[in-house]
């Protein structure tokens, strides 16, 4: 199982798909989870793998989705006395385990999000310096333009010869910087603004930026589209070196990347409806609940057959 899960992890990373990896780092018996057990949780709440029994899975899925939303790892401790002994704090989340097993699991949940792909359009000295600096800051580099080559962009992960070839590849996890300096600024900016790119910026003066916006407005782009176009503020002063301009651009991109950490909210489902098991107090996912009983027009949900049997037997 561990080998299969790691194969799946590698496939998802190769395909640039977001997921959370849940790993059991400690287990106190009795519990069905064992240290080293792993599971992958996808943004649609699907779980592949094994991290413990039926009681643990809803909590792992819930906190995996939260990790995908905010991009932060967390340690989830599931035990009978977790809430009393482990007050919630940054990075550590206690969850009450009140089912019959009464064991404890400590599960480390780590979100894996696709690296932001920085698309550098143009082959100017600023574009080349930008590629070098952004590589050091863990961006994936796509160099786009008829002059893009491994000689001009030795740090590039991908070379894209034209705007037409680039546009269908742009997603929310791609940032675009136009550094063409007058060659085909308008065409490059228009393509990027009409795409799903998560950030669109241009290296240009304020005067040049205003001219480009005016041209694109005449071409029919909406105010909402034009508002997406950014001009990195840059360092103060005149006659900056290409590397200094690139440094200013990358600094802004890092800030934007931090602000956008996590999977886009619309791609992660809202928390699913849950119910409390009336016998043990465990949280039960209503959509996947196997054990349930209707009484006096109200539906009750249970974490296991034992709780359902006890409920029906004693008439709680």
């Amino acid at each position: 199982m561990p080998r299969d899960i790691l194969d799946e992890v590698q496939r998802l990373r190769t395909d640039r798909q977001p997921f959370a990896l849940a790993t059991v780092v400690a287990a106190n018996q009795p519990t069905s989870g064992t240290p080293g057990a792993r599971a992958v949780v996808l943004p649609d709440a699907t779980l592949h793998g094994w991290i413990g029994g039926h009681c643990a899975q809803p909590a792992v899925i819930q906190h995996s989705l939260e990790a995908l939303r905010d991009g932060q790892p967390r340690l989830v401790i599931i035990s009978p006395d977790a809430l009393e002994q482990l007050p919630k704090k940054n990075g550590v989340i206690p969850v009450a385990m009140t089912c019959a097993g009464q064991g404890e699991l400590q599960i480390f949940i780590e979100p894996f999000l696709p690296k932001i792909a920085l698309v550098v359009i143009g082959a100017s000295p600023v574009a080349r310096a930008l590629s070098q600096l952004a590589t050091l800051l863990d961006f994936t580099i796509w160099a786009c333009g008829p002059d893009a080559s491994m000689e001009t962009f030795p740090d590039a992960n991908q070379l894209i010869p034209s705007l037409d070839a680039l546009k269908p590849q742009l997603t929310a996890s791609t940032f675009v910087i136009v550094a063409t300096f007058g060659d085909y600024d308008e065409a490059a900016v228009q393509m990027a603004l009409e795409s799903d790119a998560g950030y669109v910026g241009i290296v240009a003066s304020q005067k040049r930026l205003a001219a480009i916006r005016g041209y694109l407005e005449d071409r029919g782009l909406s105010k909402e589209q034009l508002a997406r176009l950014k001009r990195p503020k840059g360092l103060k002063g005149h006659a900056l070196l290409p590397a200094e301009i690139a440094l200013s651009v990358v600094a802004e991109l890092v800030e934007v990347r931090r602000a956008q950490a996590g999977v886009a909210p619309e791609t992660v489902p809202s928390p699913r409806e849950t119910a409390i098991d009336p016998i043990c107090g465990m949280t039960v996912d209503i959509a996947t609940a196997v054990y349930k009983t209707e009484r006096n027009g109200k539906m009750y949900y249970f974490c296991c057959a034992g709780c359902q049997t006890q409920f029906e037997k004693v008439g709680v």
Side-chain angles (χ1 to χ4, degrees), residues 65-135:
L65 295 181
E66 291 179 3
L68 286 172
R69 289 189 189 96
D70 62 27
Q72 299 299 315
R74 60 254 289 137
L75 178 65
V76 176
I77 300 178
I78 306 174
S79 73
D81 52 5
L83 296 179
E84 290 76 18
Q85 296 188 5
L86 296 166
K88 187 173 181 178
K89 58 183 179 181
N90 288 341
V92 179
I93 300 174
V95 176
M97 169 71 81
T98 50
C99 62
Q102 295 293 290
E104 177 179 298
L105 286 173
Q106 296 186 18
I107 302 170
F108 183 66
I109 297 175
E110 183 177 9
F112 284 82
L113 306 172
K115 284 186 181 181
I116 295 293
L118 175 59
V119 183
V120 181
I121 301 179
S124 63
V126 171
R128 296 197 296 270
L130 183 57
S131 172
Q132 293 176 321
L133 290 174
T135 298

Side-chain angles (χ1 to χ4, degrees), residues 158-183:
Q158 186 174 343
L159 299 175
I160 303 172
S162 68
L163 299 178
D164 288 341
L166 172 64
K167 186 175 181 179
Q169 301 183 57
L170 297 180
T171 68
S173 60
T174 51
F175 291 178
V176 177
I177 288 291
V178 178
T180 46
F181 288 91
D183 280 351

